Amino acid sequence: MSMGGPHSEPIVRAVDVCKSFGAFQALEGITVDIPAGEVLCVIGPSGSGKSTFLRCINQLETVTAGALWVGGELVGYRRVGNKLYALSESEIARQRRKTGMVFQRLNLFPHMTALENVTEGPLRVQRRARDQVIAEAQALLARVGLAHKSDAFPIELSGGQQQRVAIARALAMRPQLMLFDEPTSALDPELVGEVLSVMRDLAASGMTMVVVTHELGFARDVSSRVIFMDQGRIVETGSPGQILLQPRHPRTREFISAVRG
């Protein structure tokens, strides 16, 4: 599924990434390359570091050790000779625009319509032309099946519809990479499918995606690679068939059988 050639720069490169919160080691020695066009699913128990890894990619957390590159740029720092200098908030904000992120909790602006939620970033942050932004936003809402809800406020939308607006809002910033942090876990079970369907279409379009999920069926059907994490480490990585059907590591086998019940 990877659309990057064998010598193309990965969209994300993590080398020995560590993250600690006080004495707690949330990530330990995470090393992975994510090429353009890959759909990478990250699975594992709660507290295994999955969401922390996404938050480091998006610079909502700062790595404690190791290095991360997104779109060929070192995240959070500028290298001058042999020294690293922390980037300013505005430089970090510019880097962050390469990634779109959809969170577990629905976090639309409650006082804005669906259309206004989608246009806010391109208009206010990217300062793009209003007519173009509105046309693009309407097309994105249609893409997620919500063309008829552009004037609705979040309170008037179901959880699944809100999450689809959140996906459109992230896409409106024209990111190189989409990050999904358990985007269906806060939804009623009957609404999960509509969000996964939008994500399937996005994957089929060639968007590079990193998805933290408990939806093993989605991981099996859509991902090009699956990572299993536990206690802040990557325990096992491989194709969906290998990880989900023939895991080599006992901890992976134990987790998958527990999730499948």
Side-chain angles (χ1 to χ4, degrees):
M1 263 178 130
S2 168
M3 295 176 68
H7 304 297
S8 64
E9 182 88 25
I11 292 285
V12 178
R13 168 162 282 170
V15 177
D16 205 23
V17 167
C18 299
K19 173 64 182 176
S20 55
F21 298 96
F24 175 66
Q25 192 78 20
L27 295 176
E28 199 164 341
I30 301 294
T31 296
V32 64
D33 279 0
I34 304 170
E38 178 162 70
V39 180
L40 177 69
C41 280
V42 185
I43 63 171
S46 296
S48 59
K50 310 180 301 292
S51 296
T52 301
F53 180 50
L54 283 197
R55 291 173 68 83
C56 287
I57 293 173
N58 203 34
Q59 298 197 67
L60 296 171
E61 301 289 354
T62 307
V63 301
T64 309
L68 259 173
W69 288 263
V70 175
E73 275 192 289
L74 183 63
V75 160
Y77 295 92
R78 182 190 299 105
R79 185 189 298 278
V80 180
N82 290 325
K83 288 193 172 179
L84 291 179
Y85 296 90
L87 296 181
S88 68
E89 280 299 319
S90 63
E91 289 170 313
I92 287 171
R94 179 190 59 77
Q95 284 193 339
R96 191 179 284 136
R97 284 175 216 156
K98 293 180 180 181
T99 63
M101 189 155 177
V102 179
F103 297 87
Q104 180 175 352
R105 295 284 158 201
L106 314 173
N107 63 343
L108 300 178
F109 298 117
H111 61 290
M112 293 183 182
T113 65
L115 185 67
E116 288 168 341
N117 265 282
V118 177
T119 59
E120 173 75 358
L123 288 175
R124 189 182 292 264
V125 178
Q126 295 178 332
R127 302 187 185 282
R128 284 160 45 200
R130 174 172 286 275
D131 289 354
Q132 179 196 54
V133 165
I134 289 173
E136 220 170 277
Q138 288 169 332
L140 284 169
L141 286 172
R143 183 176 178 182
V144 300
L146 292 172
H148 61 300
K149 294 289 188 182
S150 62
D151 294 330
F153 288 92
I155 199 169
E156 300 170 305
L157 300 173
S158 71
Q161 289 171 333
Q162 288 185 50
Q163 200 62 302
R164 286 187 278 151
V165 173
I167 293 171
R169 181 175 68 176
L171 290 172
M173 298 294 281
R174 299 176 176 171
Q176 295 179 24
L177 167 73
M178 284 286 285
L179 307 174
F180 293 89
D181 188 6
E182 298 194 26
T184 59
S185 63
L187 300 179
D188 292 335
E190 69 270 21
L191 302 177
V192 167
E194 65 191 54
V195 175
L196 293 182
S197 174
V198 168
M199 292 170 64
R200 279 190 171 87
D201 290 345
L202 196 54
S205 77
M207 173 62 76
T208 311
M209 296 165 60
V210 185
V211 185
V212 168
T213 186
H214 288 299
E215 301 286 345
L216 298 189
F218 177 86
R220 181 193 65 228
D221 297 342
V222 180
S223 69
S224 31
R225 191 162 45 129
V226 175
I227 283 176
F228 172 68
M229 289 182 66
D230 190 33
Q231 297 184 330
R233 295 174 177 269
I234 293 176
V235 174
E236 193 168 350
T237 180
S239 69
Q242 188 255 302
I243 297 291
L244 301 174
L245 300 175
Q246 297 174 308
R248 297 191 181 100
H249 197 283
R251 184 68 189 94
T252 316
R253 286 199 293 272
E254 181 188 326
F255 172 78
I256 287 169
S257 65
V259 170
R260 290 203 166 121

